[in-house]
Amino acid sequence: MVKGLFQRVADEARPPAVLGRYPGMRDYFTEVLLDDLVESGAWLDLELKIPFLALWVNDEDFDFPDWNDPLIAIDQANVRKFAAIDPVVDLESLRGMKVYVIEPYMR
């Protein structure tokens, strides 16, 4: 079976992350993954880091977040923190990038 983007990010990050480690938070597994990557200061190859961050940057709510929602505020900060971890990614360069994700985990 081919691994999806999120599973590859979790597996190939250094240190690795555990995708879906909170089964009760299935709707927020990407947010938990991002937070884990930031908290551990994980290194991730650009081949995976760029599309992962592009998903966040190109989300329709990224530019106009609901700052009253604490999860959104954390996500906004984490996207910027993770982009700044080596190898550094310029978030603006990801604008308009199309990333298609089919995740077996999400089914």
Side-chain angles (χ1 to χ4, degrees):
M1 175 180 273
V2 175
K3 287 184 184 179
L5 175 65
F6 300 122
Q7 189 63 60
R8 286 187 62 208
V9 167
D11 290 347
E12 295 182 31
R14 294 293 168 248
V18 178
L19 185 63
R21 66 184 174 92
Y22 294 126
M25 294 187 70
R26 187 176 182 106
D27 292 339
Y28 299 101
F29 79 95
T30 55
E31 289 84 351
V32 172
L33 175 59
L34 177 62
D35 192 62
D36 287 350
L37 295 169
V38 169
E39 289 299 315
S40 69
W43 181 92
L44 186 63
D45 188 272
L46 284 174
E47 170 193 355
L48 293 172
K49 190 172 186 177
I50 287 173
F52 181 69
L53 288 171
L55 288 171
W56 296 92
V57 170
N58 291 298
D59 182 270
E60 61 187 40
D61 297 327
F62 185 77
D63 290 324
F64 304 102
D66 176 4
W67 291 108
N68 293 322
D69 183 332
L71 289 177
I72 291 175
I74 291 169
D75 292 343
Q76 287 279 328
N78 279 343
V79 167
R80 288 161 177 79
K81 287 177 186 175
F82 189 56
I85 295 172
D86 190 44
V88 175
V89 173
D90 173 24
L91 293 176
E92 288 303 312
S93 71
L94 306 179
R95 297 267 181 197
M97 182 180 199
K98 301 288 185 204
V99 180
Y100 299 97
V101 179
I102 299 172
E103 289 294 322
Y105 178 80
M106 295 169 64
R107 294 185 188 152

